[in-house]
Amino acid sequence: MTLAGVRAELVAVVLTADGDRLGVLAAGSPLHLPSGPLRTDHHSLQAGVRAFAQEQTGHRLGFVEQLYTFADLDRQAAGERMVSISYLGLTRAALDDGWQNVYRLLPWEDRRTDASSADAVLARLRRWARSGVRRERVAHLFGVDGEVWRPELALQRYELLWEAGLVGESPSAADVSELSGAAMALDHRRILATGLSRVRSKLQYRPVVFELLPETFTLGRLQQVVETLAGQGVHKQNFRRAVEQQHALVEPTGEMTHATGGRPARLYRFRGDVLTEREQAGTKLPIPRSR
Amino acid sequence: MTLAGVRAELVAVVLTADGDRLGVLAAGSPLHLPSGPLRTDHHSLQAGVRAFAQEQTGHRLGFVEQLYTFADLDRQAAGERMVSISYLGLTRAALDDGWQNVYRLLPWEDRRTDASSADAVLARLRRWARSGVRRERVAHLFGVDGEVWRPELALQRYELLWEAGLVGESPSAADVSELSGAAMALDHRRILATGLSRVRSKLQYRPVVFELLPETFTLGRLQQVVETLAGQGVHKQNFRRAVEQQHALVEPTGEMTHATGGRPARLYRFRGDVLTEREQAGTKLPIPRSR
DNA sequence: TAGCAAATGCTCACAGTGAGTATTTCCGGC
DNA sequence: GCCGGAAATACTCACTGTGAGCATTTGCTA
């Protein structure tokens, strides 16, 4: 039995939504997500993430949540095993040169437009997936052949593309640089996909986007942020209905803004008790209403 | 900047359902979840969990999934920081003395009966939660005052009880041994609650319980396992309807069993493609059907 | 043979949700 | 000052999913 020498590091997927663009903090070539060693002066992992993110990037993280811990052997360096604990962080910032556009790093995840880049990936995928099982998987993950597109499956889509050799870092990758955009270090694109999946999942049961919006906002702004994260347009009228019905989520401030280009819009703010992180969605089990 | 010396260990929440009892592997006094150091001969973390679980307990794990990584300072020993990577594992076994009954360690999580133990906890909680915010939290998590009980909030309920000093390991705990059952080491009860939350969450979008059932089974058996995990009874007819509608989940084998005590029941098996882990549920966003 | 137990079959009402139409109210340009 | 565009806001409608309950089947056991 061989005990491993271990080094531990934190890796952060820091996202921000600026208009219709989704940004992630990453720098260098190949691109690295911000990361740093685990230190003893961090009270907790979360505190560690907040601290080094602020030090390295100058951005204060609002929402922080653990994603996944990686420690596969291929991350091992010189006899010491590397344990990477990845975190998702949301912050509010304008996209400058510290930020990368997520939808250039995972182009197939943006379905807001007519998705020409997605089509390119899909065409290559179809060639790879001739057999039944692969084909079903493609259909399920990419929402074709009668299946629906699910934004939150970003990680599984990445994994499928990796298997198919359609992202730059695949072992079997050939000429795919135009499909997956800029090179990313190690498995950082996978970690990014994990973060995107997570934030989209959270979006489903509660618009956990208040970290990405100013104090007050219009429903149109809120919808835009949601669409930016989901990578997909939503039905405007129904979106407002859903948000407004979700009592205890937002409330009108009473003020209006005229800066929308059309009819003036009511301003809203998130209600305080939303901040106490109400977790999780309704069950799908047929549970009796009574009792 | 102080770099931490780090030790890494794996901790497993291994669950099994035996009839109406939910079992978790734990031994010793106080009870320890099975755990072991991270070793270099493990290809991956998952492989490591499978290996040491099999070595320590003799049980082969079916489903395995990472839960959470803990590394708070209070887990630190002698200058070396301990990073605990916890995993959920499901297996099929009969409850013998290696197993503990989950609903004795988290008694308030069992709502299948008239829940006298849950009432005891709730009474203490109400005394603790007089103020508005606390009261709302209690209502939300414990499904009182018009709110519904959500099985998958097990972790948040544990955390609330911990804050309220109503579990044995709370810093502010008084005479609560009768509420939370046997003592558990470190934060192992929290990790157990995390595992329970996770398995219940997964249950919502897909009955990921085939690891807990034999090759073939009746819908009644399936329902019993689901109820055991969820800690809650479900509506029988609607449960069958849900399962049967969920095409591609189960299929009848064509055989019947007479061992049910009533009318003979059709036997079912899980369909093969379920095993390829179709992730995640339908979105709650009002996304247009067309396109 | 009666009665029980569990499985199975079927109906119904209602809430939630996707979708579409219509109306209001500002701005900018002419 | 008037007109068209843009966005916000308001309402309606059909359909489906889901909670609930009633009814029937079919074995076993007393």
Side-chain angles (χ1 to χ4, degrees):
Chain A
M1 152 160 162
T2 336
L3 282 178
V6 169
R7 282 192 306 152
E9 66 163 4
L10 297 169
V11 184
V13 178
V14 180
L15 298 179
T16 198
D18 182 7
D20 61 352
R21 287 176 303 167
L22 182 60
V24 59
L25 277 176
S29 177
L31 286 168
H32 279 74
L33 296 173
S35 66
L38 183 59
R39 287 160 34 183
T40 49
D41 57 335
H42 294 148
H43 287 299
S44 66
L45 291 179
Q46 265 208 21
V49 172
R50 287 183 191 279
F52 94 79
Q54 177 122 31
E55 287 163 20
Q56 286 192 17
T57 70
H59 288 98
R60 180 119 47 90
L61 301 184
F63 177 82
V64 169
E65 183 177 275
Q66 191 180 110
L67 285 175
Y68 203 80
T69 299
F70 302 89
D72 294 348
L73 270 194
D74 51 322
R75 294 181 75 85
Q76 195 163 337
E80 270 205 327
R81 190 168 194 142
M82 176 67 90
V83 174
S84 300
I85 309 170
S86 61
Y87 270 80
L88 170 67
L90 301 180
T91 190
R92 197 151 59 81
L95 263 55
D96 58 22
D97 43 289
W99 297 91
Q100 302 296 318
N101 189 327
V102 171
Y103 294 127
R104 277 213 242 286
L105 298 170
L106 307 169
W108 54 87
E109 293 296 337
D110 191 358
R111 313 271 295 188
R112 288 172 297 175
T113 60
D114 284 327
S116 52
S117 60
D119 289 346
V121 170
L122 199 51
R124 299 280 296 259
L125 257 185
R126 284 189 189 282
R127 227 179 306 158
W128 172 79
R130 301 191 187 277
S131 91
V133 185
R134 282 184 177 180
R135 211 181 172 71
E136 279 179 34
R137 224 169 127 215
V138 169
H140 170 60
L141 293 178
F142 284 82
V144 291
D145 298 345
E147 305 271 346
V148 294
W149 171 269
R150 298 179 193 279
E152 72 278 9
L153 298 183
L155 174 60
Q156 289 94 323
R157 279 190 287 271
Y158 172 83
E159 289 175 340
L160 185 71
L161 291 175
W162 188 88
E163 278 182 52
L166 295 178
V167 289
E169 58 272 21
S170 298
S172 58
D175 52 325
V176 294
S177 58
E178 81 287 356
L179 295 177
S180 64
M184 296 193 75
L186 301 169
D187 48 6
H188 283 197
R189 200 188 311 269
R190 179 187 301 271
I191 298 177
L192 170 60
T194 307
L196 187 61
S197 265
R198 181 69 62 87
V199 73
R200 286 178 172 181
S201 288
K202 292 203 88 84
L203 217 52
Q204 292 186 248
Y205 37 88
R206 292 247 151 194
V208 197
V209 290
F210 46 87
E211 303 291 354
L212 301 173
L213 282 166
E215 191 71 22
T216 64
F217 49 86
T218 66
L219 292 188
R221 283 300 283 164
L222 176 60
Q223 180 178 355
Q224 191 188 31
V225 173
V226 167
E227 288 178 337
T228 299
L229 287 177
Q232 194 173 62
V234 304
H235 186 283
K236 181 155 66 167
Q237 298 92 318
N238 291 345
F239 179 78
R240 343 181 102 248
R241 179 176 62 189
V243 171
E244 281 165 347
Q245 274 178 0
Q246 214 140 19
H247 66 295
L249 182 63
V250 298
E251 61 188 4
T253 66
E255 320 235 317
M256 310 281 283
T257 177
H258 293 209
T260 60
R263 174 173 169 176
R266 249 191 279 273
L267 282 174
Y268 289 79
R269 74 167 73 86
F270 285 99
R271 286 194 48 187
D273 33 346
V274 177
L275 307 176
T276 60
E277 179 91 25
R278 323 195 117 199
E279 278 286 332
Q280 313 242 12
T283 177
K284 285 277 181 59
L285 294 178
I287 289 170
R289 265 188 194 142
S290 47
R291 278 200 68 240
Chain B
M1 150 159 165
T2 336
L3 282 177
V6 171
R7 282 192 307 151
E9 66 163 5
L10 297 169
V11 184
V13 178
V14 181
L15 299 179
T16 198
D18 182 7
D20 62 351
R21 287 176 304 168
L22 182 61
V24 60
L25 277 177
S29 177
L31 287 167
H32 280 76
L33 297 173
S35 65
L38 183 60
R39 287 159 36 185
T40 50
D41 58 333
H42 294 149
H43 286 300
S44 65
L45 292 179
Q46 266 208 17
V49 172
R50 287 183 191 279
F52 94 81
Q54 175 121 31
E55 287 163 20
Q56 285 192 17
T57 70
H59 289 97
R60 179 120 47 92
L61 301 184
F63 177 81
V64 169
E65 182 177 278
Q66 191 179 110
L67 285 175
Y68 203 79
T69 299
F70 302 88
D72 292 349
L73 269 194
D74 51 323
R75 296 181 74 85
Q76 196 164 337
E80 269 205 327
R81 189 169 196 143
M82 177 68 90
V83 174
S84 300
I85 309 171
S86 61
Y87 270 80
L88 170 68
L90 302 180
T91 190
R92 198 150 58 81
L95 263 54
D96 59 21
D97 44 288
W99 298 91
Q100 301 297 318
N101 189 327
V102 171
Y103 294 128
R104 278 214 242 287
L105 297 170
L106 306 169
W108 54 88
E109 291 297 336
D110 191 357
R111 311 272 294 189
R112 288 171 298 176
T113 60
D114 285 328
S116 52
S117 61
D119 290 345
V121 170
L122 200 51
R124 299 281 295 259
L125 256 186
R126 283 187 188 284
R127 225 177 310 155
W128 172 80
R130 300 191 187 278
S131 90
V133 185
R134 282 183 176 179
R135 213 181 171 73
E136 279 180 33
R137 224 170 128 212
V138 169
H140 169 60
L141 292 178
F142 284 81
V144 292
D145 298 346
E147 305 269 347
V148 295
W149 171 269
R150 299 177 192 280
E152 73 278 9
L153 299 183
L155 174 59
Q156 288 95 323
R157 280 189 286 270
Y158 171 83
E159 288 175 341
L160 184 71
L161 291 175
W162 188 88
E163 278 181 52
L166 295 177
V167 289
E169 59 272 20
S170 298
S172 58
D175 52 326
V176 293
S177 57
E178 81 287 355
L179 294 177
S180 63
M184 297 193 75
L186 301 169
D187 48 6
H188 283 196
R189 201 188 310 270
R190 180 188 301 269
I191 298 178
L192 170 60
T194 307
L196 186 62
S197 265
R198 182 69 62 90
V199 74
R200 285 177 172 181
S201 287
K202 290 202 88 81
L203 218 52
Q204 292 186 251
Y205 36 89
R206 292 244 151 194
V208 196
V209 289
F210 46 87
E211 303 289 354
L212 301 173
L213 283 165
E215 191 72 19
T216 65
F217 49 87
T218 67
L219 292 188
R221 284 299 284 162
L222 176 59
Q223 180 179 355
Q224 191 188 32
V225 173
V226 167
E227 288 178 339
T228 300
L229 287 177
Q232 193 173 62
V234 305
H235 186 283
K236 181 155 63 165
Q237 297 94 315
N238 290 344
F239 179 78
R240 338 181 107 252
R241 181 177 61 187
V243 170
E244 282 165 346
Q245 274 178 1
Q246 212 139 22
H247 66 295
L249 182 62
V250 299
E251 61 188 5
T253 66
E255 319 235 315
M256 309 280 283
T257 178
H258 293 206
T260 60
R263 172 172 171 178
R266 247 191 277 275
L267 282 174
Y268 288 79
R269 75 167 73 86
F270 285 100
R271 287 194 46 187
D273 33 346
V274 177
L275 308 176
T276 59
E277 178 89 26
R278 324 196 116 197
E279 278 286 331
Q280 312 242 14
T283 177
K284 286 274 180 60
L285 294 178
I287 288 171
R289 264 186 194 144
S290 47
R291 281 198 70 239

